[in-house]
Amino acid sequence: MSENIDITTLNGYGTTLASVINFPPDFDASNQYAAIVVSHPGGGVKEQTAGLYAGKLAEYGFVTIAYDASFQGASTGEPRQLENPHIRTEDVSAVVDYLTTLDYVDSDRIGAMGICAGAGYTANAAIDDPRMKAVGTVSMVNIGQMFRNGWTNDVADSDAAPMLTMGADARTADSEGQDNQFPLAPMKEEDAPNEELRQAWEYYHTPRCEHPNAPGYMTTRSLTQIIAYDAFHKAEAFLTQPLLIVAGSEAGSKWMSDDLYARAASTDKSFHVVEGANHMDLYDGEKEVAEAVGELGPFFTDKL
């Protein structure tokens, strides 16, 4: 059972998050349940992989919420498709804010997970917000690292400086009324540099999982907010919650999961590798998602 809801944020930008709340089997509003916030990848929406994971985790007995980020999907905010990592992180806590108002949610048993950039934002939110009592990640991307260092960590930080210039130029152009798009996944099949990222194109731009609210790009001005961003900033001190990281053995992005696992202060952390899986397999591959959920469900059951 699920229901469409709107969540008004208090992040100072006045946005409202279009969300879906999922209820566990035999839900009884007179009882209290643990809850999980599920955050979508960059360029995605709640109807895609985030909603898939949220629905499956509800079957484990949780109240779960998948939502569209501020400025994206069916949520409010201008400019459209802004990918501001600081606001994306705030969105996670905004959903926690909402969960604490529900009588049927135990505010001391709220967890959070995300996929791709949504996983990085979830980690960043948990660093800042100890109300999140357990953290899960799937195919995690630290969006700052990805744009600075490349998909497979082969670019030096300083070599990303031209992207700051590109973002700054876009801000100037935006102020003159122009629209500047920057792909978060390949916009055309021929733009993909490898098979893994070809599957990212396929996911967002073919019937595999395309959605009209998920165009697969962000505003180019977002680069000035992303390049210097570190989703794992101060994880060594403040990411103390139980942590489960899930990544595919063949994922080009796996190095970012490795980095958080090494940096997180948590004394209760584990890393599950899905053998043979790449980054995109964990979005919607039936076998791969089942394996990931088979780890996440018991993890959140134990920790919340």
Side-chain angles (χ1 to χ4, degrees):
M1 183 174 65
S2 63
E3 179 183 339
N4 293 322
I5 57 172
D6 289 328
I7 297 174
T8 300
T9 68
L10 302 174
N11 58 21
Y13 291 87
T15 54
T16 298
L17 306 179
S19 309
V20 174
I21 187 167
N22 302 279
F23 301 98
D26 302 320
F27 173 73
D28 181 346
S30 67
N31 294 332
Q32 281 201 317
Y33 297 85
I36 302 170
V37 183
V38 183
S39 299
H40 64 69
V45 289
K46 62 187 179 301
E47 289 84 2
Q48 298 172 320
T49 184
L52 177 63
Y53 276 87
K56 289 183 178 296
L57 286 172
E59 295 173 8
Y60 278 82
F62 301 105
V63 171
T64 66
I65 293 182
Y67 64 96
D68 290 340
S70 294
F71 309 101
Q72 300 174 25
S75 295
T76 66
E78 298 286 341
R80 301 306 298 166
Q81 300 309 128
L82 182 70
E83 185 76 17
N84 182 323
H86 306 287
I87 300 173
R88 288 275 329 244
T89 296
E90 275 290 320
D91 286 344
V92 184
S93 285
V95 180
V96 175
D97 293 344
Y98 174 78
L99 285 168
T100 65
T101 71
L102 302 176
D103 291 339
Y104 52 80
V105 169
D106 183 343
S107 295
D108 291 325
R109 298 169 63 210
I110 295 175
M113 68 149 291
I115 306 95
C116 190
Y121 296 135
T122 296
N124 198 187
I127 289 167
D128 293 334
D129 191 342
R131 296 177 302 172
M132 300 173 204
K133 304 301 185 184
V135 178
T137 73
V138 173
S139 288
M140 180 163 49
V141 160
N142 178 341
I143 198 168
Q145 287 180 325
M146 185 187 75
F147 274 95
R148 283 192 303 275
N149 306 125
W151 185 249
T152 54
N153 194 23
D154 54 3
V155 179
D157 283 359
S158 58
D159 290 337
M163 300 188 79
L164 284 173
T165 301
M166 184 185 304
D169 289 344
R171 292 180 75 125
T172 299
D174 288 349
S175 69
E176 298 169 351
Q178 298 182 34
D179 182 28
N180 292 278
Q181 299 178 2
F182 192 96
L184 278 162
M187 299 296 289
K188 299 177 181 177
E189 186 173 16
E190 56 266 30
D191 293 339
N194 55 47
E195 171 58 19
E196 187 173 38
L197 293 178
R198 189 203 68 80
Q199 289 184 32
W201 162 80
E202 180 182 77
Y203 182 86
Y204 285 109
H205 300 291
T206 77
R208 174 173 169 178
C209 207
E210 64 187 346
H211 191 277
N213 288 345
Y217 62 81
M218 66 180 184
T219 59
T220 304
R221 69 182 289 124
S222 302
L223 289 170
T224 62
Q225 296 156 332
I226 287 173
I227 295 300
Y229 170 78
D230 177 16
F232 308 154
H233 181 61
K234 295 298 180 182
E236 299 88 345
F238 302 120
L239 186 53
T240 57
Q241 298 95 321
L243 173 66
L244 171 62
I245 294 172
V246 180
S249 64
E250 306 308 304
S253 58
K254 180 177 175 290
W255 64 277
M256 289 175 272
S257 291
D258 294 333
D259 187 34
L260 182 63
Y261 184 76
R263 288 168 64 178
S266 175
T267 57
D268 182 359
K269 56 185 177 181
S270 55
F271 196 139
H272 181 79
V273 176
V274 180
E275 291 297 333
N278 68 23
H279 183 91
M280 300 305 301
D281 290 330
L282 286 164
Y283 280 44
D284 63 341
E286 184 175 355
K287 176 175 66 73
E288 294 83 359
V289 170
E291 183 171 338
V293 172
E295 297 294 323
L296 290 160
F299 166 76
F300 283 117
T301 299
D302 182 45
K303 306 305 178 184
L304 295 179

